[in-house]
C-alpha cells in the first residue's frame, strides 16, 4: 500500500499535448498539489506538458518508478501493465474505463490484466477509478481538474470516483480537508478491506470514510473493523434487488440484506451512515476525543437555540445534567438582570462579560461528570466581535487541553462560521441539531459491543454429522431428520413418532397422549401446510384414524409416485409464547442468526433481532431482549420469566453450528414454544436446508 | 395584520445617540433594507440618528403613524403604549425584554399592557421579540444589525428571535431569501395562528415556516392548517417534561405529547420537521409545483451519485420507473460507447453532447407518468462549463414551463452551485439524498388526508347523560356506571351483574354461565388488580363462593369504612384478540382517541395509533389498519377477519363522545376482545374519568 500513497516517483502513462487529452490532467493535479517527487509523463507522441518532456515509452524512464498511473484506451492497458512488470514497477493505478463495467469484452481485458499482475507481482488500483491522493505529500492523481483539498485527518475510500471527488470538495469546504484518498474503481486487485487496514494503521489518519456500492468480503470487513481504534464511517448504497431467494422460510423473507448490514455494522462498531450529509456531520468530530457518555452541557447565547439543542438531546439520548451549585451561583451572580435561569441548557444571553463564559467553560472542561459541551456562540453586535473571538479561542484551547469533546454552532452571524473554520481551523456545525447528532455519532464508537467470548456448545456432534448426510430434493432435510438434528444440537424438541399406517399413528398417539397433531413428511414436500399436510388438535382415536386417511390422500396428490412418505405424530402443545430461532447465509456476511416473535406473529410483528454468527450466549441474550417478544418472555407484569440463559445458549449453539457446517443454508425453527421456568423451550417445527 | 407588514410610516420609540442604544439599530436596519415609508425615531434626549432628527415625544409626530416599534426599558412600555392609544396608533411592536419571561413583576407589566390595548383597540406584537420583516417593502425591524435577506417566497413565524435570525441568514445563504417574518416573542396579543392565517392568504407567500416552543391553541392551528393551500413547515421544539399526568391508564402513559403532535400534524397536513437543516431542505422546493406521485427519474453525470439517488428513493418511498422505449433508444444511440445502460437512474456520464440532455429533459417534462426529475449536474472539465451552464438553464426553463418538479444537485464542482443559486436563482441541493428528501417533503402536501365526513353516532344519549352525572373520587366513574356508559354508546360490553352478597354472586354466575370472573367495584377503588380485586376463571359454585369472600376481605382492606362496595360478575370470555380503545384530552389539541394492541400487550408492543377527535369511521379504519394488531384482526394468513366497519364506528363514536362531553377526561376500554365476524367485539373492562 505504501507506494500508492508515498511514491518517490510517478510515471503518468497516456499523456499527450492534445487539448482533449485526459491523462495530462493528472500531471496538472500533481503540480497543483505541490507534489515533490519525480513526475514522468509518458505518451507515444512525445512533446512536453507543463514544461516537462513527455517520454515516448516507459523504457525511457531513467529509474524504476515507485508508481505508474495509466490512462490510455482500455485495449492498450494490458500491454502497459506488462511493460511495467518487465521494468520492475510494482505499483500501478489504472484510471482508464472500459472494463468489466461495460460487459464481456471488458471482463476479458480484466482477466488478462489479472494474469499479468499475478505473474509480475504487481499491486493494482482500479481500473475505472481516479487513483489516490495523499495531501501529506501533495500526491493528487485524479485526471479531472481538482483544487487540492486542505490537509486533514480523515481518509477516504470510494468506490465511485464522482462521489469521492464530491465528498473531497465538501470536506474541504467544511474545513475538514482530507488526509488520504483511494478510488477503488472496479477493484480488480486492491479492495476496500486492505485499504481500510492500511488507513487504520496510518498515523496521519484519525478516521476513515468508506463509500461503497457493494462489499467485496463483508466478513473480512467485520474482522478488520473489530480491531479498529479509529472511527469508521460506512456509506453503503445498497440498491440491489431485495434478496430474491425463494422465500421458503420466514427467516429468508424477513431478514433483508439491509437488516443484515445494520446488524453487522453494529457488531463491528462501524457507523453506518445513510447519506453524504450525515458523513459531513460525523466528520466534524474527527480529531476530537470521543464522547464517552450521555451528559451534555449546552451553553447558548440564544435562548431559542438552547431549546433546539435540548430537543435534539432528547432525540439522540443525551441527558442535560444540572450544573454544579457553585457554577450555577457564579453564572447567576454574573448576569445583568440577576434573573437568568441557571439550568442546563445555560442561556447566557444576559451575560455580556465574556470572561464569565471562559470561566464556565474551564470549569466544565475539568468536570469528569460532563461528557461533552455544546457552545452556541455568536457576537450580537459588531463592537463585541473581537472580544467574542478571543473568548471562543480560549474556550477551544481549554477543551483541547482537557480532552473534552466540544461542538460549536454559530448564532445568526454566519461570518463567524468562516472565522472559526478558516482562522481557528475548528469545524463548526450549522445548527444545534446537527451538533448534537455529531456528538451522538462520536459516542457510537465508545459503545462498541465486546468481542464474542469463546463458547463451546454441548452437542452430539456425531449424530449431527450423520443426520446432515441425507438431504432431500431442493436440499431440504426430511422433517424427522431435521427434528433429530435440532435435538442433537441440544435444543429440546416436542416428543414425536413416525407412523406409516393408521394403526401406527394410533399407537403413537396413545403413547404421546391426546390431543395430538399430525404432519405429513416426504423428501419433496416442502410446503406442508399448503398441501393440507398439517392437522392440529386431534383429540380422539377416531380423529387420528380419519386424520391419517386425509394425510394419505394429501400424499397421493402432492408426493410424487414412488417417493416414500411418513406421518409425524406430535403431542398438541398448549401455552407459552411462540418464538422463532432461525439462521441463514448472507452473501456478504456469511452465517447470520435470527430471534423473534414466532408463529403467525413473525410476519405481522416484524419483531426480529439479527446477528452475524458466531455469537456467544451473552450476545444472544442481548439480542433476545432487543425484541418485544424477548421482553415478554423475560417476565413482564408479574408473569414468571422464561429460562433466558438456556434460550440464549440454544441461539448461540445454532450460530456456532452454522459456522461449523458451511453446507447448511438455512435453519428455521418456528414455532419454538417458550414456557416459564428452567429449560422451558420446545421446538414444534423445523426446516433445514443444505446447499 | 396588514399594518405590521405594510406600514406607510413607522415610529421607533427608544432611540438615542448613545453608542450602546439598541433601538437605533431598528432605524439602521430599515435604512439598510431600503424601506420607503416615513421613519420617525423617538427618544426623550432628542438629537439625530442617520441624519434623521429624534423626536423627544410621540406627541411631536406630524401624523398618526401606521406602526410604532417600542424598545425602551420594560417599565416604560405601558406608558408608551398608552400614548400610542391616545394618539390613535393602532399597531404596536414591542421588542423590549423584561416581561413574563423574567417572572412576577414582568407578568404584572404584561397585564397592564393587556388592559391598555383592550381599552384602545391596539394590536400588539411581542414583547420580547425582534418585530417583523417584509422584504417586499424593505421593512426590517430587528434591533440587532441585520444584512437584509433577499426577497423570497417563504414567510417565517418564529417564537425565538435568535432562531428566526439564524434561519433568515441560512435561507438567504441557500438562495431562498424570505418574504415576510414575524417574531412572536411572549405572544401577549398576536399569536401564531393569526399570523399563519394572514400568511396563507398573502399573495407574496408560497410557504410558511413556523418555529415554535409551545402552541397557543393547537386545535385552532389544526383548523387553520386544514384550510391551507400552501405548504406549512412546523418546527416545534417541544421540550416540556413528558406528561406527568398520574399514569392511571395506559392511554395516558403511552400517548406522550410527541405522538399527539405527530398525529395532529398528519391530520392537518402540516409537515413537522425536527431540525433547522430539514427546514432548509424542504424550503428548496418552495415555488415549485408539488410532487404528486412516487415516480422519479434521475439523470446523473456521475454513476455513483445516481446510485446514491436510487438508494435515497428507496428510503423515501419513491419508485424509479423505466424510461419510455423511444427515450431509452435515443439515449443509447447518443452515447459514445453505445454500451451505456439506459435504465432509470440514467447515467449520462458517457454522453458529451449536452443537447441530448436537454432533449431528454424536454421529453420527461411532457411525460404525465413522471412525477419529478432529479438532475445530478456538473461539468467535469473547465472547457465544457459554458455548454453545461447553457444546458442547465434550458432544463430549468423546460421544467418550469411544463410545471414539472425538478431538483438539482451539483457533482464535485461546488462553484456550479454558486452559479445556479446566484445567477439562475435556482436553489440547489448539496447531495442527492437531500434532493430526494426534498421531493418527499413536497409530496407530503399532496397526500393530506381528506377532511372528516360528518358522522352521527347512534347512541342512547339520555342514558349517557344520566350516567355521567355521578363520578366517584378522583373523578372516576364506578365500574358498573362506566360499563353502562360504554354500552349506551353502542359499544358491546360483556354481560355482567352486580352482587353484594355471596348468594347474589352465585345467582349471577348461574345466570351468566361458568366460568366467570369477578371484580371488586367501589367508588374510591381505582387500582382493582393491585388491591387483589380481580379474580379470573372461577369454574365452580365453590370457587365463586370462596371468591366472593376473598373480595369482601379485599374490600375490608382497601375500601374506606362506610363506603359501599359491590362485586361485578362477568362471564370469562375466551378467544379473539385483545385491543384497546382509548381517549383522553391533550392540553394542546383537546380530545384524542387511541387504538392498539390491548391487555398485557399494550405496554410491550407500543402498537398504537392516535388521532385528534373527532374522526369519521373511514379515518378510524385507517387508524386501526396502521397498527399491527389492526392488520392481525383484519384477517391474515387465512384467518377470518373481524368486523372492521363496526369497530371503526365504535372508535369514531368514542371520538364524537369526547368532543360532545368536555367533562370527560379519559376513557380506557382495555381489553376489548375482538372476534371474527359481524359486530364481534366485547368490552371487558372500562375506566372513565371525569374532571
Amino acid at each position: 500500500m505504501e507506494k500508492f500513497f508515498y511514491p518517490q516517483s510517478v510515471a503518468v502513462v497516456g499523456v499527450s499535448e492534445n487539448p482533449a487529452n485526459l491523462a495530462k490532467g493528472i500531471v496538472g493535479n500533481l503540480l497543483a498539489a505541490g507534489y515533490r517527487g519525480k513526475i514522468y509523463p509518458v505518451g507515444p507522441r512525445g512533446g512536453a506538458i507543463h514544461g516537462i518532456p513527455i517520454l515516448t515509452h516507459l523504457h525511457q524512464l531513467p529509474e524504476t518508478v515507485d508508481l505508474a498511473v495509466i490512462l490510455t484506451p482500455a485495449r492498450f492497458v494490458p500491454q502497459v501493465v506488462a511493460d511495467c512488470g518487465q521494468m520492475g514497477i510494482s505499483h500501478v493505478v489504472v484510471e482508464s474505463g472500459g472494463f468489466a463495467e461495460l460487459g464481456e469484452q471488458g471482463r476479458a481485458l480484466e482477466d488478462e490484466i489479472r494474469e499479468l499482475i499475478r505473474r509480475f507481482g504487481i499491486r493494482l488500483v482500479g481500473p475505472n477509478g481516479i487513483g489516490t491522493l495523499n495531501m501529506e505529500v501533495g500526491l493528487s492523481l485524479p485526471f479531472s481538474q481538482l483544487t487540492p483539498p486542505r490537509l486533514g485527518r480523515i481518509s477516504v475510500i470510494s468506490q465511485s470516483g464522482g462521489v469521492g471527488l464530491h465528498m473531497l470538495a465538501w470536506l474541504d469546504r467544511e474545513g475538514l480537508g482530507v488526509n488520504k484518498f483511494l478510488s477503488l474503481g472496479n477493484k480488480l486487485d486492491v479492495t476496500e478491506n486492505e485499504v481500510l487496514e492500511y488507513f487504520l494503521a496510518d498515523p496521519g489518519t484519525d478516521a476513515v470514510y468508506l463509500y461503497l456500492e457493494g462489499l467485496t468480503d463483508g466478513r473480512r470487513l467485520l474482522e478488520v473493523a473489530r480491531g479498529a481504534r479509529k472511527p469508521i464511517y460506512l456509506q453503503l448504497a445498497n440498491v440491489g434487488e431485495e434478496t430474491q431467494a425463494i422465500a421458503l422460510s420466514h427467516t429468508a423473507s424477513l431478514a433483508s440484506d439491509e437488516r443484515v448490514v445494520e446488524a453487522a455494522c453494529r457488531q463491528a462498531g462501524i457507523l453506518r451512515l445513510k447519506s453524504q450529509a450525515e458523513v459531513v456531520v460525523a466528520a466534524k468530530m474527527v480529531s476530537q476525543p470521543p464522547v464517552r457518555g450521555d451528559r451534555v452541557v449546552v451553553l447558548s447565547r440564544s435562548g431559542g437555540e438552547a431549546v433546539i439543542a435540548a430537543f435534539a438531546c432528547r432525540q439522540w439520548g443525551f441527558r442535560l445534567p444540572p450544573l454544579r451549585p457553585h457554577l450555577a451561583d457564579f453564572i447567576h451572580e454574573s448576569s445583568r438582570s440577576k434573573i437568568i435561569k441557571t439550568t442546563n441548557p445555560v442561556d447566557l444571553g444576559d451575560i455580556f462579560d465574556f470572561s464569565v463564559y471562559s470561566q464556565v467553560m474551564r470549569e466544565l472542561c475539568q468536570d469528569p461528570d460532563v461528557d461533552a459541551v455544546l457552545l452556541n456562540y455568536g457576537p450580537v453586535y459588531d463592537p463585541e466581535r473581537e472580544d467574542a473571538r478571543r473568548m471562543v479561542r480560549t474556550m477551544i484551547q481549554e477543551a483541547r487541553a482537557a480532552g473534552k469533546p466540544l461542538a460549536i454552532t454559530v448564532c445568526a452571524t454566519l461570518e463567524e462560521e468562516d472565522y472559526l473554520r478558516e482562522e481557528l481551523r475548528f469545524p463548526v456545525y450549522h445548527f444545534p441539531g446537527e451538533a448534537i447528532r455529531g456528538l451522538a455519532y462520536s459516542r457510537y464508537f465508545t459503545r462498541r459491543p465486546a468481542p464474542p467470548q469463546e463458547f463451546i456448545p454441548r452437542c452430539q456432534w456425531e449424530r449431527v454429522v450423520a443426520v446432515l448426510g441425507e438431504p432431500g430434493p431442493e436440499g431440504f432435510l426430511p422433517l424427522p431428520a431435521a427434528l433429530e438434528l435440532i435435538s442433537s444440537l441440544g435444543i429440546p424438541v416436542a416428543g414425536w413418532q413416525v407412523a406409516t399406517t393408521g394403526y401406527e399413528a394410533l399407537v403413537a398417539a396413545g403413547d404421546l397422549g391426546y390431543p395430538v397433531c399430525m404432519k405429513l413428511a416426504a423428501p419433496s414436500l416442502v410446503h406442508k401446510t399448503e398441501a393440507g399436510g398439517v392437522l392440529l388438535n386431534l383429540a380422539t382415536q377416531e380423529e387420528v384414524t380419519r386424520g391419517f386417511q386425509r394425510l394419505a390422500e394429501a400424499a397421493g396428490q402432492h408426493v410424487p409416485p414412488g417417493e416414500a412418505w411418513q406421518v409425524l405424530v406430535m403431542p398438541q402443545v398448549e401455552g407459552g409464547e411462540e418464538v422463532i430461532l432461525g439462521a441463514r447465509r448472507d452473501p456478504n456476511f456469511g452465517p447470520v442468526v435470527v430471534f423473534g416473535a414466532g408463529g403467525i406473529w413473525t410476519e405481522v410483528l416484524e419483531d426480529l433481532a439479527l446477528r452475524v454468527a458466531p455469537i456467544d450466549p451473552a450476545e444472544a441474550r442481548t439480542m433476545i431482549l432487543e425484541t418485544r417478544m424477548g421482553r415478554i418472555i423475560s417476565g413482564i407484569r408479574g408473569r414468571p420469566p422464561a429460562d433466558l440463559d438456556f434460550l440464549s445458549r440454544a441461539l448461540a449453539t445454532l450460530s456456532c453450528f452454522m459456522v461449523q457446517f458451511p453446507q447448511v443454508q438455512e435453519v428455521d425453527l418456528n414455532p419454538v414454544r417458550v414456557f416459564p421456568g428452567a429449560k422451558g423451550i420446545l421446538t414444534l417445527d423445523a426446516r433445514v436446508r443444505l446447499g
Side-chain angles (χ1 to χ4, degrees), chain A:
Chain A
M1 279 294 111
E2 198 76 6
K3 285 192 178 167
F4 285 122
F5 296 103
Y6 294 95
Q8 303 281 333
S9 49
V10 177
V12 182
V13 184
V15 180
S16 83
E17 290 179 351
N18 186 328
N21 176 263
L22 293 177
K24 74 176 190 307
I26 300 170
V27 178
N29 280 333
L30 282 168
L31 294 171
Y35 176 64
R36 303 276 179 141
K38 288 277 179 54
I39 306 171
Y40 302 102
V42 180
R45 291 192 207 138
I49 194 76
H50 299 296
I52 311 173
I54 303 172
L55 308 178
T56 55
H57 196 278
L58 272 176
H59 292 135
Q60 293 177 358
L61 285 173
E63 58 174 317
T64 303
V65 292
D66 282 350
L67 183 63
V69 186
I70 305 173
L71 181 46
T72 66
R75 64 187 182 282
F76 301 134
V77 172
Q79 183 56 51
V80 180
V81 171
D83 290 348
C84 287
Q86 272 147 13
M87 296 187 61
I89 300 172
S90 59
H91 288 72
V92 171
V93 168
V94 180
E95 302 195 16
S96 320
F99 291 90
E101 81 278 11
L102 291 191
E104 204 42 61
Q105 215 172 346
R107 266 192 291 277
L109 281 174
E110 284 197 6
D111 289 342
E112 208 176 321
I113 296 170
R114 203 170 279 116
E115 170 56 24
L116 284 166
I117 64 172
R118 196 195 53 74
R119 190 191 317 158
F120 290 109
I122 290 174
R123 297 309 315 272
L124 183 145
V125 169
N128 192 29
I130 54 168
T132 60
L133 278 90
N134 180 359
M135 299 322 293
E136 287 181 6
V137 299
L139 184 78
S140 175
L141 299 180
F143 58 87
S144 59
Q145 196 175 315
L146 175 65
T147 310
R150 67 188 93 190
L151 174 62
R153 303 290 303 169
I154 182 165
S155 291
V156 177
I157 303 169
S158 180
Q159 188 160 347
S160 151
V163 172
L165 289 177
H166 195 180
M167 285 305 286
L168 290 187
W170 269 103
L171 290 173
D172 189 55
R173 181 167 276 201
E174 293 279 7
L176 294 155
V178 68
N179 194 280
K180 298 182 178 63
F181 168 88
L182 186 141
S183 162
L184 290 166
N186 291 3
K187 307 191 201 176
L188 187 149
D189 175 30
V190 169
T191 67
E192 61 267 23
N193 294 335
E194 189 180 354
V195 187
L196 176 61
E197 258 190 297
Y198 177 77
F199 284 167
L200 289 175
D202 172 39
T205 300
D206 283 341
V208 184
Y209 160 56
L210 294 101
Y211 170 74
L212 297 176
E213 292 167 7
L215 298 171
T216 305
D217 180 348
R219 223 167 159 83
R220 175 74 192 134
L221 175 65
L222 297 196
E223 277 166 37
V224 173
R226 270 197 165 126
R229 296 171 166 271
K230 301 174 184 176
I232 302 171
Y233 312 121
L234 171 63
Q235 187 185 358
L236 177 61
N238 190 19
V239 288
E241 298 295 307
E242 303 295 328
T243 326
Q244 286 297 342
I246 347 93
L248 289 172
S249 71
H250 296 308
T251 321
S253 59
L254 281 169
S256 80
D257 287 357
E258 267 306 313
R259 293 199 203 196
V260 177
V261 173
E262 291 295 332
C265 286
R266 232 181 313 127
Q267 279 175 272
I270 296 171
L271 181 60
R272 170 99 192 272
L273 297 173
K274 298 284 176 72
S275 71
Q276 289 146 298
E278 287 175 0
V279 174
V280 173
V281 168
K284 287 183 183 172
M285 289 304 292
V286 169
S287 310
Q288 287 220 42
V291 177
R292 298 194 179 280
D294 293 333
R295 298 160 302 180
V296 172
V297 174
V298 176
L299 301 178
S300 182
R301 284 212 83 188
S302 150
E305 307 271 353
V307 171
I308 290 178
F311 182 80
C313 280
R314 204 161 75 173
Q315 270 186 302
W316 290 96
F318 283 111
R319 287 180 295 127
L320 293 156
L323 298 180
R324 293 189 185 274
H326 76 276
L327 196 57
D329 291 347
F330 171 64
I331 294 173
H332 183 80
E333 285 311 308
S334 311
S335 76
R336 199 154 66 168
S337 68
K338 301 277 184 282
I339 309 184
I340 195 166
K341 280 179 251 158
T342 44
T343 51
N344 177 15
V346 191
D347 178 355
L348 296 170
D350 194 37
I351 298 179
F352 294 84
D353 174 0
F354 289 143
S355 72
V356 174
Y357 293 40
S358 308
Q359 178 63 31
V360 171
M361 179 63 84
R362 194 168 312 127
E363 297 261 353
L364 295 174
C365 286
Q366 299 304 331
D367 188 340
D369 291 336
V370 172
D371 296 309
V373 178
L374 167 61
L375 171 67
N376 291 328
Y377 151 82
V380 180
Y381 323 100
D382 260 3
E384 46 171 46
R385 174 155 302 150
E386 278 318 305
D387 279 353
R389 289 185 171 184
R390 202 168 308 122
M391 170 194 83
V392 78
R393 277 200 302 275
T394 314
M395 284 182 159
I396 291 172
Q397 284 159 7
E398 296 280 359
R400 276 197 184 131
K404 188 72 68 186
L406 169 66
I408 300 184
T409 71
V410 165
C411 309
T413 44
L414 300 192
E415 310 83 57
E416 293 307 296
E417 282 201 3
D418 303 335
Y419 171 73
L420 278 159
R421 184 175 51 244
E422 301 303 327
E423 303 294 321
L424 303 187
R425 302 308 213 114
F426 195 90
V428 55
Y429 284 101
H430 302 313
F431 302 111
E434 283 190 348
I436 297 295
R437 182 192 273 245
L439 295 178
Y441 288 158
S442 168
R443 183 184 55 184
Y444 180 87
F445 295 101
T446 61
R447 298 202 166 162
R448 301 169 55 154
Q453 300 283 311
E454 204 186 353
F455 166 66
I456 298 164
R458 268 170 273 161
C459 305
Q460 296 168 277
W461 290 118
E462 312 77 32
R463 274 181 68 199
V464 169
V465 172
V467 171
L468 284 178
E470 287 178 38
E474 295 184 49
F476 280 91
L477 281 190
L479 182 54
L483 292 174
E484 201 187 325
L485 172 72
I486 299 313
S487 171
S488 310
L489 289 174
I491 302 174
V493 175
W496 54 275
Q497 293 187 20
V498 161
T500 50
T501 65
Y503 178 74
E504 281 176 18
L506 273 179
V507 172
D511 196 6
L512 294 162
Y514 286 87
V516 295
C517 59
M518 300 205 297
K519 297 173 186 180
L520 182 61
S524 66
L525 188 72
V526 176
H527 304 289
K528 290 192 292 289
T529 309
E530 288 75 353
V534 178
L535 302 176
L536 300 177
N537 241 328
L538 309 174
T540 62
Q541 294 185 328
E542 204 188 343
E543 282 176 24
V544 167
T545 307
R546 228 183 312 135
F548 188 89
Q549 220 138 16
R550 278 173 57 197
L551 293 181
E553 281 159 27
Q557 276 180 33
H558 297 280
V559 178
E563 186 177 313
W565 55 266
Q566 307 166 310
V567 166
L568 214 101
V569 187
M570 250 190 194
Q572 181 75 33
V573 178
E574 296 296 344
E577 304 291 345
E578 294 192 335
V579 304
I580 178 173
L581 304 189
R584 66 180 183 89
R585 251 161 238 290
D586 181 84
N588 281 321
F589 295 98
V592 297
V593 285
V594 172
F595 174 85
I600 61 152
W601 301 86
T602 306
E603 278 176 19
V604 185
L605 294 186
E606 292 172 58
D607 178 35
L608 294 173
L610 205 143
R611 291 289 187 283
V612 174
I615 54 170
D616 60 24
E619 187 66 20
R621 195 190 177 89
T622 307
M623 186 178 160
I624 291 167
L625 290 174
E626 269 171 25
T627 66
R628 299 178 194 282
M629 182 50 86
R631 293 198 289 280
I632 289 172
I633 60 176
S634 73
I636 49 154
R637 301 194 88 197
R639 295 172 126 212
D643 185 349
L644 287 200
D645 284 343
F646 188 77
L647 190 59
S648 304
R649 278 198 304 278
L651 197 53
T653 299
L654 186 60
S655 83
C656 296
F657 165 70
M658 288 298 286
V659 173
Q660 218 158 335
F661 295 91
Q663 71 267 46
V664 181
Q665 297 302 312
E666 267 178 61
V667 176
D668 194 4
L669 312 185
N670 187 13
V672 174
R673 207 65 79 83
V674 179
F675 310 91
K679 299 192 185 187
I681 81 171
L682 267 188
T683 305
L684 300 187
D685 204 352
R687 277 177 184 155
V688 178
R689 189 166 61 85
L690 313 183

